[in-house]
């Protein structure tokens, strides 16, 4: 092999090893640098390193990682660290990332690392032509009002690291967990099209899991990192894993959005309040097909008894000041 080819291969091996080490360690390095208030780059060290040393360091790192064990849990707040000989249940908590947003009746400071947004029932059956509300002669158009503000708010919160949780009706095809009183809600006279029945226009089954009827509207794409929770009652907390998910994420404050303001949104929010969460209703990201006084009463009661009320502009403005 020619001397220049040997040198080229040597440099390629060095670049590959460095790439592997940087890829494995960049998050750890960032965490350490961030805690110190700095963001050092690997190239700042100015060290000269041979390919042999790179390979030795990579092997040593792999052995060290195996000896140190691994994390158990979602990792933001509530996690253990386990090794062959020990389980650490006292992992240090991440430093809060506070932001203050304009709310009523008082401004509220939340920790972005301990906050989630819940989007409730933005589904075709409630918000789209040909859905269940449209079929029974209701006006689905008011329930489309949250779409535009949510299109602004959700990307901003994702960029800030806030989990997006979609909570939607997603009933079993056999309705085995639905008692008569819940079926009555959608079929009050015992006839017609109710839960699980096919819609005349498209044969999609009303609010059945994985049906078009139960799908989130096309205008609100769900991202891969988002969390999806099926619900079977007006409240998103009844007989669902929502509370467990929030606790495992370490969430303390919840932003509530979706439809209908006075029904599924309100009763999910009140249950969250009873469970000890700080509850914030994002008013312009909620809507209802009910009369206006229902929204007025909901807003009044949230501010009086169950939490706080804000809007998209206030949240995005708070995120902007933080960023």
């Amino acid at each position: 092999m020619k001397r220049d080819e040997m040198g080229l291969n040597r440099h390629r091996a060095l670049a590959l090893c460095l790439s592997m080490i940087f890829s494995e360690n960049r998050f750890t390095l960032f965490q350490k640098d961030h805690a110190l208030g700095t963001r050092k780059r690997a190239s700042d060290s100015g060290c000269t390193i041979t390919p042999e040393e790179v390979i030795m360091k990579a092997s040593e790192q792999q052995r060290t990682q195996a000896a140190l064990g691994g994390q158990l849990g979602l990792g933001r707040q509530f996690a253990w660290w386990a090794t062959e000989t020990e389980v650490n249940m006292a992992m240090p908590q991440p430093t809060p990332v506070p932001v203050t947003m304009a709310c009523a009746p008082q401004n509220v400071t939340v920790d972005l690392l301990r906050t989630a947004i819940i989007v409730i029932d933005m589904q075709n059956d409630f918000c789209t032509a040909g859905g269940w509300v449209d079929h029974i002669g209701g006006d689905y158009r008011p329930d489309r009002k949250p779409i535009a503000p949510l299109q602004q708010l959700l990307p901003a919160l994702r960029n800030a690291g806030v989990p997006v949780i979609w909570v939607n009706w997603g009933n079993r095809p056999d309705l085995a967990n639905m008692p008569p009183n819940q079926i009555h809600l959608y079929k009050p006279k015992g006839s017609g099209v109710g839960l699980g029945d096919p819609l005349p226009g498209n044969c999609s089954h009303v609010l059945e899991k994985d049906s078009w009827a139960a799908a989130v509207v096309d205008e609100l794409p769900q991202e891969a990192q988002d969390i999806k929770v099926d619900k079977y009652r007006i409240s998103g907390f009844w007989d669902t894993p929502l509370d467990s998910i929030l606790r495992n994420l370490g969430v303390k404050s919840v932003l509530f959005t979706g439809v209908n303001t006075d029904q599924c949104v309100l009763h999910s929010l009140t249950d969250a309040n009873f469970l000890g969460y700080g509850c914030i209703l994002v008013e312009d990201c909620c809507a209802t097909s009910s009369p206006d006084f229902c929204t007025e009463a909901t807003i009044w009661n949230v501010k009086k008894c169950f939490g706080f009320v804000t809007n998209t502009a206030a949240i995005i403005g708070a995120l902007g000041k933080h960023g």
Side-chain angles (χ1 to χ4, degrees):
M1 184 179 291
K2 296 181 181 180
R3 185 172 181 178
D4 56 345
E5 290 178 343
M6 292 177 63
L8 180 60
N9 289 336
R10 184 182 180 88
H11 285 296
R12 285 175 176 169
L14 173 60
L16 178 61
C17 291
L18 285 173
S19 174
M20 293 173 61
I21 289 180
F22 180 72
S23 177
E24 293 181 30
N25 287 295
R26 58 185 175 179
F27 183 67
T28 303
L29 287 171
F30 173 80
Q31 282 185 311
K32 292 179 179 178
D33 290 346
H34 184 69
L36 294 171
T38 63
R39 296 184 183 232
K40 298 178 181 178
R41 297 188 179 275
S43 60
D44 291 344
S45 63
C47 296
T48 301
I49 185 169
T50 67
E52 292 78 9
E53 290 173 326
V54 170
I55 295 171
M56 289 178 62
K57 287 181 180 294
S59 299
E60 180 183 354
Q61 181 191 39
Q62 291 176 354
R63 290 194 299 270
T64 302
Q65 287 178 339
L68 290 177
Q71 182 172 288
L72 308 177
L74 294 180
R76 280 164 56 93
Q77 315 294 331
F78 181 61
W80 296 355
W81 190 272
T83 68
E84 185 176 347
T85 59
E86 183 182 357
V87 174
N88 184 354
M89 300 182 187
M91 295 291 289
Q93 296 293 297
T95 303
V97 181
V99 296
T100 301
M101 64 184 71
C103 294
Q106 299 147 286
N107 293 341
V108 173
T109 299
V110 300
D111 177 3
L112 290 180
L113 294 182
R114 296 166 175 86
T115 300
I117 183 169
I118 293 178
V119 187
I120 298 173
D121 292 354
M122 293 299 298
Q123 297 169 273
N124 288 324
D125 262 341
F126 302 120
C127 307
T128 305
W132 181 76
V133 169
D134 187 32
H135 166 72
I136 64 172
D139 187 359
Y140 67 89
R141 292 172 298 177
D143 281 350
R144 295 183 62 81
K145 291 179 181 178
I147 292 176
L150 282 170
Q151 287 173 331
Q152 300 178 48
L153 182 59
L154 296 181
L157 289 172
R158 288 189 187 103
N159 289 339
V162 173
V164 176
I165 303 177
W166 301 86
V167 177
N168 297 313
W169 286 94
N171 291 319
R172 296 166 52 101
D174 60 7
L175 299 178
N177 62 334
M178 300 297 290
N181 66 344
Q182 298 301 304
I183 298 173
H184 172 265
L185 175 64
Y186 287 86
K187 194 184 286 186
K189 297 180 181 179
S191 61
V193 177
L195 292 179
D197 295 329
L199 290 164
N202 54 35
C203 295
S204 181
H205 290 206
V206 173
L207 295 178
E208 184 174 297
K209 182 176 175 64
D210 297 327
S211 69
W212 172 89
V216 171
V217 296
D218 291 340
E219 295 86 349
L220 294 175
Q222 298 170 288
E223 301 295 338
Q225 71 270 27
D226 295 350
I227 298 171
K228 303 173 186 178
V229 177
D230 294 326
K231 72 180 180 70
Y232 319 103
R233 301 291 190 274
I234 292 291
S235 170
F237 285 91
W238 187 268
D239 197 24
T240 77
L242 181 56
D243 183 43
S244 295
I245 290 170
L246 291 172
R247 294 187 187 280
N248 282 337
L249 289 171
V251 168
K252 303 296 182 184
S253 307
V254 183
L255 302 166
F256 283 90
T257 66
V259 298
N260 282 288
T261 309
D262 54 321
Q263 297 167 12
C264 294
V265 176
L266 173 62
H267 292 292
S268 297
L269 185 150
T270 54
D271 275 355
N273 172 270
F274 302 150
L275 289 166
Y277 295 99
C279 300
I280 303 171
L281 184 74
V282 188
E283 185 173 0
D284 60 332
C285 289
C286 298
T288 184
S289 55
S290 303
D292 289 344
F293 69 82
C294 296
T295 297
E296 295 170 7
T298 298
I299 299 298
W300 191 91
N301 275 301
V302 169
K303 291 191 289 188
K304 178 67 175 179
C305 302
F306 306 120
F308 306 87
V309 178
T310 190
N311 57 54
T312 298
I315 299 172
I316 292 178
L319 294 175
K321 292 177 182 177
H322 166 71

